[in-house]
């Protein structure tokens, strides 16, 4: 095969790949001024948010109490600016209108949502403080709060979830899921932004944890690696496709512990204080305080 | 210990580390003009390929139908160039010849393989479209095709697999595995490039999924997180080492669903339409349409 | 909501976030010249160490036997310098003294520890060579030592662990855990730096593996993905919190194999040569040479 | 002086520097969505424009005639996008209106101007071709057109001038001057964007050349390093300040050569084909074809 | 010549280049913790200082009056930190002591000097405001203060000079000259940090201007491109080398204008209000209010 | 003008710009594997060469005598590699052959030339040491050799010239000029790589200096800013174009000093020890030891 032929192949393949038939649903055509949300910018937003929520632990600034407010100020303003652009991109992605005036409306909405999110930061910091405490207290290997904040993947996954959940509550499309998927990739912990999770929540090790979109988790719950809170089956619509939006994931009450690789499926309830052993498949309600485990392995 | 001593330690350790005995099999000596394949360049190749396959969703270009062919053209040409260099590096890694003329032969081969790969891109896009559709249809939480393409780790892992599988079929050494490992690191989904996988394939959540080198998967199959398609045991050769290349992973027929953390081992067949429950260990054939699950946990 | 209001919200939120009450335990105040350990620098340290241990496989240098010692020299010196700074940051993080003279003492200690670590590099390379060999020999899909070094996540996770374990033995705080968490994020394999692991150790696929802080693993042990070596329960102190530092993870003797998703909990012993099947929960000692597995799934 | 004092000094200086009195005219307050033009982006715009005008010589693409239009297409689209933003920033900088609706008007204007600029690119390329030819023909040291395009500072300065002049004619504020100052910094050649310069223009070596805002230069003119085309004196207004906008720089007719470090001042005319010797100060008209030079140095 | 030979040449040349004889005075051996000042860091310091002195014009922040103090705060703190390190490097470069305790003394000095510099920033801003005004008022082509700040090379060169001069007054070695050379490279204007220059100073175009180390310049002085304020001859010491530190450059009194390419040499005085024409060589005092110019060129 | 029109304009302009007629001589079509020399890579090569020639002063390494040879080794090997690629690009640019075998010949030549250049480094360092000494001795403002090496633009320009001159002597096309133009842009000093310059050469301040291609400069010569060593007129060929390659620039004998802005033109000789005053135009021979200067300015 001669060099000329390679050039021919490239040229003809480009032509095929540029035909509308070929890309159909796999292509996103941007209207002017309406880029897609960007994974890279969202990653920067998360770093900014973490460095505001846990001052001195993330980002490269050397904080002290006299200069703290300068840093928080600059970072919060930057967060507002970047987040507004991403929310705008999310709003534009969903909308179908073609009139350019709509962009300005979306821009105003994006700013308002972004400001509402900023306003929630102090509350987010309070609840994340309980998550850090829960991780520290329940792990005999943890040496300090700082170690938990710096090293524990659970704190990264839960921070992203709590950020994404606020954006989800504010009605932002697409972006919350992108934010939790960033944590999923970084930690192996997959929490859907729609899940509702109480304070003092912790996950040990965490790889393989899945928490579905309609899960409800109480206070002081601890999960181990590989735990799934999933759906058992989906009611189908007339076309045989799953109906979207129906509650289909478990309710976990306060003070429950679920050990490694347990799979909890369907809209069942694990009662307050229950303990679920590892490697089991649970598809029915579990009573308050109950302890269930796998039957013995055969030797 | 004084600063002088540190310098002594460094100097003497460098000497020990530079002795041929010390590095033996752990060192790769490059012949001139023959670098190793580079993980960083392969990551760029994947970004390029994704941005060609799903125009407008990856990369930072704002695409519209009038300018689409410029972008596809530039990206395809760049992909050809980068891929050729990496394939060449892979070919050189394997070969043992010392004559410099061989490099030119390898270079011509690398170009030819790279062009053949480019030629397959339209077909890859077609089959990836079925994977996106499968993910969208089967997940009640999915809001749009765009959300699936942008957020779902399965799409990233399956894209890398389909790209790597083509290169594997074209006989490229080393690189296909590096490409699927990039996805493994990003998503926790480990698909060997040698596996054969049909259209409309999807994986939910995905962390911990393992699909072995000789697996064969039909159409419209769905896996959940933590599913293993593995080998049960390996026939040993005369030296007690596993014999390489023997079919040893499962055959999954069309329309099978396998739930979270199930482990399927050995050259067994899961018959058409079978449903495998979570957290179980399957080492024998399963009949068409059968449903198997873990026995009840004890309370 | 008008733009003015957004600005008000930002200003008032910055004020709330800057109040000492708000950030309490979540803030790290740096003393002058005492930054926190940096994840980014540690990642560079790992790349440097890998490129010294496996010359020619990592980093972008084209090595040959005549120039090898230049490269090892420059990299080792750079490693000494970066590591010293990070160890210093770790030592400062832990200490509470306020006198500035202490920093100089810490700096001398950091240099000494860093030099002692450098001195261990040749030994680390020797033991890593056995790990590479174990991965190659036991996997029928492995084509070459190079493929194992370049592609296998286990080698990355085990390298980081062996580096972190040396630093742990040298009494460095915080940093060993950060280094193993880097590998955890990259590979899904979570090995605590305190674990003790013998030579010829390998992990296949690896996602979801957890090896706890007080685990002891013999020679020639092989784990599959999703295996947990965890703690069963923690003795509590007078306040109801887990007592830190007690041996609470399994002892795995030589030549043991543990299959995918098995969960081994508590200070139990898996006897020499035992084989543990997948997806089971083991909380009691297993005899030498025993083979245990899950009871059959029901159809 | 103790560390505490440094902190005091910083805090109190920050306060002084943040007072409105202190920064008055030296501060640019941005309205929302109205950044200043950016020197960095303008530098990227110049690189893009050069790579469109001289395909294959700038930028990192390997061009051939089959793929040229892909590259020109992508670059032209990118140029349109970046230039539009910078023109918008320039228009906003000048305007004083506060109504946000004006931004949309400015945006439409910016797009229109940017498109008009793009439309001029083929003509700009034609005239730059004459400049390259003039440099090549008149310099015995020039080996090829390529050497002239790649190495000669005059080509860089003249390209920037011709780009800036078009933007100046299109009424864009601020940006044309920023573009010629980029070339001034790179080459030491300072051409005001308002000057009018004919085809086949060249400058040898170039450092120290100054061409004032109202200069008019004919065809086939050659300048050497250090030549100034400046103003002699400025008519003052009632306040004693120079009146802006009056023609005050020389007219240089076709085929004139001006040697190194000559200083030509005021609205005088150097007649067709005149030759001006080095290191002289000319403040009166020079006749067609005349040759003037410095009187002999004394020994 | 065979590849082997290239390798031989490299190895033997490296050996020669590493011999102490070879590098003697051309090598800087660093003591531990004592790097050289860095041109790159100094360039960052200049960008920081410019963005503090002219808020909103440099750096990428979008400033408004409510958030200005956050930005000034973060930037001033960063400036203090970077400058302290560079001053320390300068102090260490000069000193010859070997005791490590001296480093701590130098560090304290560096901090004190850095804080004293910070304290001068408001005054520097005041005087730079007069320079901007002078440039604006005297140039008919200038459209706005913003254009002057953003585009005029004189402002960049004078800013660097005023910063460097403060550091020179504070006794910092090496760094002041590096800072003015950064501006020299950027603008072609070479002002020695030791020169003394009054307010309302401006330089038009500027390329080729040289202002020597012992020059004294009054208020409201304007220079054009290519003007030299140089030394005429140097008294020699016993060894025939120039004696360092003797006043040897001109004194320029208030309200003097010097036109393009004039060369003013020696410790002469240009009297108040004098006007010096272009391209002339002045080596004797000029009376107050005098106007001197080149004698006519011959035609 | 509507958005649609902008898109039309872009599309049609791209078409015009992609027509062969339009770009003719302004386009460089790359043959495969034959990129143009790259300014960016050449800039890296210069930084590498400077850091080898002046160890510890450039680049970011902290050198000491024990580790010096590691650093010199790595840098020299890298220099060989980068320079070989650039020389190859230069050779390919010139050649017109189409057979691919020629590339391999060029590659071998490029390696040989690159190795010959490396071999000259120790000699280059020796002569540069004399240039540094000349700058230090002759400038009363110079405080140390280090200040000269770090700050003086002359050293940068002369280093680039001496590097470029060696490549010029080795017959490398295009690249020598690119290297001296890099220094021209950085320092305003324009030395043609073909000039021949003796040891102990120095230039004070330097902006605007021009040294033509056929200049010959003896030992211990000092130039000031703005000095031109140029050609007076060019013999024309039959077509009226300048004949290339004829000696046309001055010969400057040992120990000559030329003051600021003097212009020396044509193949004249400035005799040993002559002193040339500033701002004059010299077109005839100057006798040994003569002192010439501008006639007095009129007041």
């Amino acid at each position: 095969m001669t060099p000329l032929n390679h050039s021919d192949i490239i040229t003809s393949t480009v032509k095929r790949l540029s035909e509308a038939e070929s890309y159909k649903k796999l292509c996103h055509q941007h209207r002017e001024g309406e880029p897609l949300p960007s994974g890279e910018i969202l990653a920067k937003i998360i770093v900014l948010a973490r460095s505001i929520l846990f001052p001195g632990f993330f980002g490269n600034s050397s904080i002290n109490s006299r200069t703290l407010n300068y840093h928080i100020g600059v970072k919060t303003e930057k967060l507002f600016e970047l987040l507004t652009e991403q929310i705008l991109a999310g709003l534009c992605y969903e909308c179908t209108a073609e009139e350019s005036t709509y962009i300005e409306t979306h821009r105003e909405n994006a700013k308002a949502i972004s400001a509402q999110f900023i306003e929630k930061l102090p509350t987010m910091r309070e609840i994340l403080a309980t998550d850090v405490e829960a991780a520290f207290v329940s792990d005999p290997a943890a040496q300090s709060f700082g170690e938990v904040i710096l090293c524990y993947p659970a704190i990264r996954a839960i921070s992203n979830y709590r950020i994404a959940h606020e954006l989800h509550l504010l009605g932002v499309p697409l972006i919350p899921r992108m934010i939790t998927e960033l944590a999923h990739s970084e930690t192996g912990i997959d929490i859907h932004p729609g899940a509702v999770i109480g304070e003092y929540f912790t996950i040990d090790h965490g790889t393989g944890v899945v928490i579905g979109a309609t899960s409800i988790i109480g206070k002081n719950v601890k999960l181990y690696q590989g735990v799934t809170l999933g759906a058992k089956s989906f009611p189908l619509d007339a076309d045989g496709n799953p109906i979207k939006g129906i509650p289909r994931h478990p309710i976990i009450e306060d003070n429950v512990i679920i050990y490694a690789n347990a799979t909890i499926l369907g809209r069942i309830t694990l009662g307050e204080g229950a303990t679920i052993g590892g490697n089991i498949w649970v598809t029915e309600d579990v009573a308050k305080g109950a302890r269930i485990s796998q039957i013995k392995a055969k030797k």
Side-chain angles (χ1 to χ4, degrees), chain A residues 15-27 29:
Chain A
K15 213 176 148 196
R16 288 168 63 199
L17 288 165
S18 303
E19 281 158 9
E21 243 106 304
S22 162
Y23 55 76
K24 274 179 311 191
K25 291 187 185 167
L26 302 183
C27 176
Q29 294 207 26

Side-chain angles (χ1 to χ4, degrees), chain A residues 38-55:
Chain A
S38 151
E40 277 181 39
I41 303 296
L42 290 173
K44 280 188 194 162
I45 283 173
I46 292 304
V47 169
L48 268 177
R50 284 178 185 167
S51 71
I52 293 167
L53 293 166
F54 304 108

Side-chain angles (χ1 to χ4, degrees), chain A residues 53 115-125 166 169-170:
Chain A
L53 293 166
Q116 285 172 279
F117 176 83
I118 296 289
E119 214 169 1
K120 290 281 173 60
L121 283 169
T123 314
M124 270 185 248
R125 192 195 266 165
E166 284 303 331
L169 292 178
L170 291 165

Side-chain angles (χ1 to χ4, degrees), chain A residues 71-120:
Chain A
H71 289 276
I72 301 270
V74 166
K75 283 172 176 165
T76 304
E77 197 190 21
K78 186 79 187 164
L79 177 60
F80 175 72
E81 182 191 314
L82 291 180
L83 189 56
T84 300
E85 284 308 310
Q86 292 302 302
I87 292 172
L88 176 59
L91 295 174
C92 290
Y93 179 77
E94 273 227 323
C95 78
T96 56
E98 310 230 331
E99 295 89 332
S100 72
T101 57
Y102 279 44
I103 300 180
E104 282 313 293
T105 312
H106 283 325
R107 188 175 294 277
E108 284 314 303
N109 285 346
K111 278 183 198 165
I113 292 170
S114 187
Q116 285 172 279
F117 176 83
I118 296 289
E119 214 169 1
K120 290 281 173 60

Side-chain angles (χ1 to χ4, degrees), chain A residues 130-151:
Chain A
T130 71
D131 300 329
V132 171
E133 192 177 333
F136 175 74
V137 165
S138 74
D139 182 358
Q143 304 287 327
S144 65
F145 266 47
E147 188 189 4
V148 170
I149 294 171
L150 276 174
C151 306

